[in-house]
Amino acid sequence: MNKLPPRIAICGRPNVGKSSLFNCLLRSGRAIVHNRPGVTRDPLEQPAADLDCILIDTAGVEDEDESQVKSAARRQALRSAAAADAILLVVDGRSGLVPADSEMARSLRKIAAGSPLALVVNKCEGKSAAAAAAEFFALGIEPVITVSATHGIGIGNLREHVAATAAQLRTKHKIEIDSKQAVDDGKVRISLLGRPNAGKSTLANKIARAERMIVSQQPGTTIDAVDIEFSHRGRNAVLVDTAGVRRKSLITDSIEQISSRTARDAIASANVVLLVLDASEGVSHQDQRLARLIAESGRAAVVILNKSDLLDAAQKRSIRRNVVRDLPHLSRATFMLVAASQPRFSGKRVIDAAFAALRRARVRFSAAAATKALKEAVARSSPPRRGNTRPKLTYAHQAGSEPPAIAVHGRNLHLLSQSYQRYLTSQLASSLGIGAAPLVLKLVDGESAPAGRSA
């Protein structure tokens, strides 16, 4: 059985270019890069297939006397470094050696004793390598690699160092790497989506059974979409905690704009989406818009009503009714009342619901079963006439899964009203046991061009 590739952490104080180097090594834009210090807060892990390792972008480590969020980010960064197999300490060649660099070097030596440690001097454009590195030799860390992530200078040398370090670690630990498996291993991807401060990161921690995400009352604490690998009942999965998504009219910060795009990408790449709502606040217009996005994507979904501990019994009954009414696009999804912040809460029930939703989205059924369900629906309510013509529905069959799709054949199907299509979709989904994901109805009319709609 293959083991995980070596893990290499990229560490340093804020705004030295760690995320830019992370992206350069991955040859992607996976991490958010911004000139504001502290944009990276949660550890961001990504396999680098051509380097045969897993890269970890960590938060910038600052002084102890800092805010709650920054202090938590510091602990996460040092925890990631301690768990890594090798470390790259990044410093700023433009600003030169500062006391925070020396403190960081001392901390890394203590927590990563025995792990390979290299110094990367970034922002060296316009300087000779020797001049840029000279004062940093005082840190006593070798090798010293000079680069400029912005201009691509020295990145080839850095990649060679990372690849060589990963190879040495594999030899040392006798790790056999299957790069394809490391990148595309068939794990179920579950994305957490919701408005800021709905409790997504708290829920992620309970699911992962570890303090992987920073939790704060400050909205917008999560910026990157963060992947958390875990196993549940013998199945491997990846949980993606995304940034809280606000209405477009409220997004004025450039970081939030990037985060919102990342959240939408998380829907597209997910097998199941967990839409997290603040039950104490009810359903907002933004929650409705997110539900519509999930439905349009065709992904299986579970609606999580978090913070239910703030409600009494009557309020819980009311929120259940209101959510079913206000989120019609996810009418067949599972709705769950949870209190993720409570000590006794377990994320197992949520993941069970997510896997059940995926099973329903991947349901397979025969043409005979689909046709029987179609005929039963028509027998209960025939399609209304348009003038002197009544549409005739003859047979149905499965036309796809995830999202599930049914092709309905007949004559004059172009005359079917939208309301009857919604009725037909609901009846077919109920009869065939399709739930959690929107059912795509494809009308195949012998007398008109095929039409399709997602209901």
Side-chain angles (χ1 to χ4, degrees), residues 166-175:
Q168 291 170 1
L169 289 167
R170 289 195 304 277
T171 301
K172 178 181 178 181
H173 300 294
K174 297 180 180 180
I175 300 175

Side-chain angles (χ1 to χ4, degrees), residues 40-41 59-61 68-78 214:
T40 300
R41 290 170 181 162
V61 174
Q68 176 190 358
V69 172
K70 289 182 179 179
S71 180
R74 173 190 175 88
R75 291 196 302 273
Q76 292 281 37
L78 294 177
I214 296 171

Side-chain angles (χ1 to χ4, degrees), residues 180-189 235-238 271 358 362:
K180 183 177 180 182
Q181 181 181 1
V183 177
D184 182 14
D185 50 17
K187 294 182 175 71
V188 174
R189 293 187 65 83
R235 297 191 65 182
N236 294 325
V238 178
N271 300 112
L358 184 57
R362 290 175 171 175

Side-chain angles (χ1 to χ4, degrees), residues 196-256:
N197 216 28
K200 299 183 299 299
S201 294
T202 301
L203 183 60
N205 282 337
K206 291 298 181 70
I207 290 172
R209 295 189 291 276
E211 190 186 342
R212 284 294 311 274
M213 304 302 303
I214 296 171
V215 179
S216 171
Q217 292 302 313
Q218 175 182 322
T221 300
T222 299
I223 296 176
D224 276 307
V226 181
D227 293 0
I228 305 173
E229 295 192 9
F230 68 100
S231 179
H232 180 70
R233 302 191 191 281
R235 297 191 65 182
N236 294 325
V238 178
L239 184 70
V240 182
D241 183 23
T242 63
V245 182
R246 305 172 190 247
R247 286 205 322 264
K248 283 187 177 180
S249 61
L250 297 179
I251 298 177
T252 57
D253 187 293
S254 59
I255 295 175
E256 278 203 72

Side-chain angles (χ1 to χ4, degrees), residues 1-6 173-178 181-182:
M1 180 178 179
N2 291 331
K3 297 182 180 180
L4 287 175
H173 300 294
K174 297 180 180 180
I175 300 175
E176 297 179 356
I177 299 299
D178 179 345
Q181 181 181 1

Side-chain angles (χ1 to χ4, degrees), residues 13 16 91-98 101 123 127 135-136:
R13 59 186 175 85
V16 295
V91 294
D92 187 335
R94 280 206 299 256
S95 62
L97 181 63
V98 299
D101 294 327
K123 305 182 184 181
K127 289 186 178 182
E135 61 182 316
F136 291 101

